[in-house]
Amino acid sequence: MTPAGDDTSTATDPDLAEATREAKTAAAQAEAAADKADDSADEAEAAAGQAAGSAHAADASAEQADSSADKADASADKADSSADKADSSADKAEESAEEADDAADKAAASAKDAEDADEDIADELLIEERHPSVGMGVPGPPLRRGNPFTFGFFAALGVLVAWGLWNAAGQARSVLILLLVSMFIAVGLNPLVEWFMRRGLKRGLSVGVVFLLMILAVVGVGFAIVPVVTDQIDSLIKNAPGYLNLLQKSKTLDELNDKYHFIQKAQDYIADPALAQRAFGGILGVGKVVANALFNTFTILVLTLYFLASLPSVKRAAYSLVPRTRRTRVAILGDEVLGRVGGYVSGQFLVALCAGVCMFIFLEIIGLRDYAVALAIVVMFCDFIPMVGGLIGVVVVALIGFTGGLWTGLGCLIYGIIYQQIENYVVAPRIMRRAVDIPGAVTVIAALLGGALLGVVGALLAIPSAAAILLIIREVWVRKADAS
């Protein structure tokens, strides 16, 4: 037995300590490995739980798939049943189609028999029997105009159509003038119609009242002027012998007759057998002129009534032809143009009425009471003609005045000249300022152009037309120029 303090025991102590350390290290590593094993076990358990959940979800999905499969089987059974029914319906439809074909064949045979029996009636109804289900058909594609021959053909066709329209307008010039005058009068009377409408009358009744007033005015003018003309003709016939006696007693005329023999020429002209034929032709010509004047007056009255009654619908129809985006502005400008035309007619009527009333008062003062009303009406109508209308009225009044005496005629002439200056510089500017706002130079130019184109009618329509054109230039052309 070896004692405790033996050398061998002391020699083995380092080895033991080293072995102990190794054992501890191994134990620590074993513990760490055990911990890792525990963590892995936990992760494995979690993964097992997730796998179990997925398994349950898979089972639920499988059950839903089974249910969907059962429903699909049921739908398939229903589809098979519907297919069977469709097959039976198709069989019935085929049978019905065969019956319809038989009926159609019978109907076609009957129609053919009816067509053979009533061939004339079928020809008359041919247009109505064409394709009732498609109407007028579908427009085809536009023609290609790139071909020079096609372009030249359509260009020549356009020139021919324009030339034909120009000739047609020239031949229908008188009718177009009547339409233009009627429209002008209707637009001028429209403010009076609207005045009655603002007083509570309907448009139809207002138009009737205004038209009745116009008829009464025309009839009154006729009754006022015809007696004066008749009286002047009778006076000329009665005084003709006295005029001839004065001519025969004149020494100057005797000297001229000795030199030029105009009395003999006049006698030869009167003795000419063709004089009666020429006189008869002249009478027929005068009758034709009178008949045309009466017919034109009646036509203007009827057209004026029509335009006056249908003016709102005519405006709406005209505005509907304009694109929708510009319709409001065009309607505003159109109403303004019509308003200015109506204002011009109303203002010119007031100017003419003032001239007629002043002339009536003057003629009553100087002693021409028998002709006062007729001459006042003549002055009123002449005053509607721009520039020269007042002068024409003054000349007519002065000529009638000279029949009553030299000083009477001179008084009429002086009064007419003075009043024309007052009217041109005082009365007309104050009345027409609000109706038509146009410069004086434009007024003169418009009156000259209108008179050259359409005579008296053109002169009457020139100033309102110029006012409308100036309005369009100011509101369209100038505004576009300012915006550019």
Side-chain angles (χ1 to χ4, degrees), residues 173 196 440 465:
R173 183 173 180 269
F196 281 110
S465 301

Side-chain angles (χ1 to χ4, degrees), residues 350-417:
L350 292 178
V351 173
L353 181 63
C354 183
V357 171
C358 292
M359 180 60 70
F360 175 78
I361 295 173
F362 174 76
L363 294 177
E364 288 285 340
I365 292 173
I366 65 173
L368 294 177
R369 295 182 178 86
D370 295 336
Y371 312 121
V373 176
L375 292 178
I377 293 174
V378 170
V379 169
M380 281 185 59
F381 277 93
C382 291
D383 213 45
F384 277 97
I385 304 174
M387 297 178 60
V388 298
L391 180 60
I392 294 173
V394 170
V395 170
V396 172
V397 173
L399 291 176
I400 300 296
F402 279 117
T403 61
L406 178 61
W407 294 109
T408 303
L410 288 176
C412 293
L413 187 62
I414 294 172
Y415 166 80
I417 294 174

Side-chain angles (χ1 to χ4, degrees), residues 253-262:
L253 291 178
D254 290 337
E255 293 176 357
L256 293 175
N257 184 40
D258 294 338
K259 186 176 182 180
Y260 298 103
H261 306 287
F262 62 87

Side-chain angles (χ1 to χ4, degrees), residues 208-224 301 377 381:
V209 172
V210 172
F211 189 73
L212 180 61
L213 293 176
M214 186 174 66
I215 294 293
L216 292 177
V218 173
V219 174
V221 169
F223 278 108
L301 291 176
I377 293 174
F381 277 93

Side-chain angles (χ1 to χ4, degrees), residues 246-294:
L246 291 176
L247 291 175
Q248 292 176 358
K249 294 178 181 180
S250 176
K251 295 181 179 180
T252 304
L253 291 178
D254 290 337
E255 293 176 357
L256 293 175
N257 184 40
D258 294 338
K259 186 176 182 180
Y260 298 103
H261 306 287
F262 62 87
I263 295 179
Q264 183 64 35
K265 293 180 181 179
Q267 291 176 353
D268 294 339
Y269 178 78
I270 294 173
D272 188 2
L275 178 62
Q277 184 177 359
R278 288 196 297 269
F280 184 73
I283 294 173
L284 289 179
V286 172
K288 184 178 180 181
V289 170
V290 173
N292 287 335
L294 293 176

Side-chain angles (χ1 to χ4, degrees), residues 56-70:
H56 289 301
D59 293 337
S61 299
E63 291 176 357
Q64 291 179 357
D66 293 336
S67 176
S68 298
D70 294 336

Side-chain angles (χ1 to χ4, degrees), residues 29-44:
Q29 293 177 351
E31 289 178 0
D35 293 335
K36 292 181 179 179
D38 292 335
D39 295 335
S40 300
D42 293 336
E43 293 177 356

Side-chain angles (χ1 to χ4, degrees), residues 347 350-355 358 383 419-433:
L350 292 178
V351 173
L353 181 63
C354 183
C358 292
D383 213 45
Y419 181 80
Q420 283 302 308
Q421 304 307 313
I422 297 174
E423 179 182 293
N424 293 334
Y425 293 101
V426 179
V427 179
R430 293 180 180 273
I431 295 178
M432 303 298 291
R433 185 178 301 164

